[in-house]
């Protein structure tokens, strides 16, 4: 039996429909990331242990 994936929107999603950011899903051994504006398109999967360093590297590239 396949379990349904539960997607969560980022707390940084904008107003309105909240479709201006990303959604994530915990898949046990991986974290899935998708564009909230196009959820049917490609999904990026990242090993769970690499997710925090991935997010940190994104934050660092946003700093001036």
């Amino acid at each position: 039996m396949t379990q349904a994936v539960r997607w969560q929107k980022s707390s940084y999603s904008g107003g309105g429909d909240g479709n201006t950011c990303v959604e994530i899903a915990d898949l046990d051994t991986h974290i899935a990331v998708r564009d909230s504006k196009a959820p049917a398109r490609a999904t990026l999967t990242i090993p769970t242990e690499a997710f925090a360093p991935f997010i940190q590297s994104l934050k660092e590239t946003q700093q001036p």
Side-chain angles (χ1 to χ4, degrees):
M1 179 179 215
T2 303
Q3 189 173 10
V5 175
R6 194 175 119 206
W7 291 95
Q8 298 175 321
K9 287 193 181 195
S10 167
S11 60
Y12 289 96
S13 289
D17 293 335
N19 291 334
T20 59
C21 212
V22 297
E23 297 174 322
I24 63 168
D26 185 349
L27 305 177
D28 295 325
T29 62
H30 287 74
I31 302 295
V33 181
R34 70 181 183 184
D35 183 346
S36 60
K37 293 182 301 296
R41 294 182 84 184
T43 299
L44 174 66
T45 56
I46 303 164
T48 302
E49 65 276 1
F51 189 70
F54 171 71
I55 295 300
Q56 185 60 40
S57 70
L58 293 175
K59 289 178 181 180
E60 291 169 0
T61 58
Q62 294 298 315
Q63 296 181 11

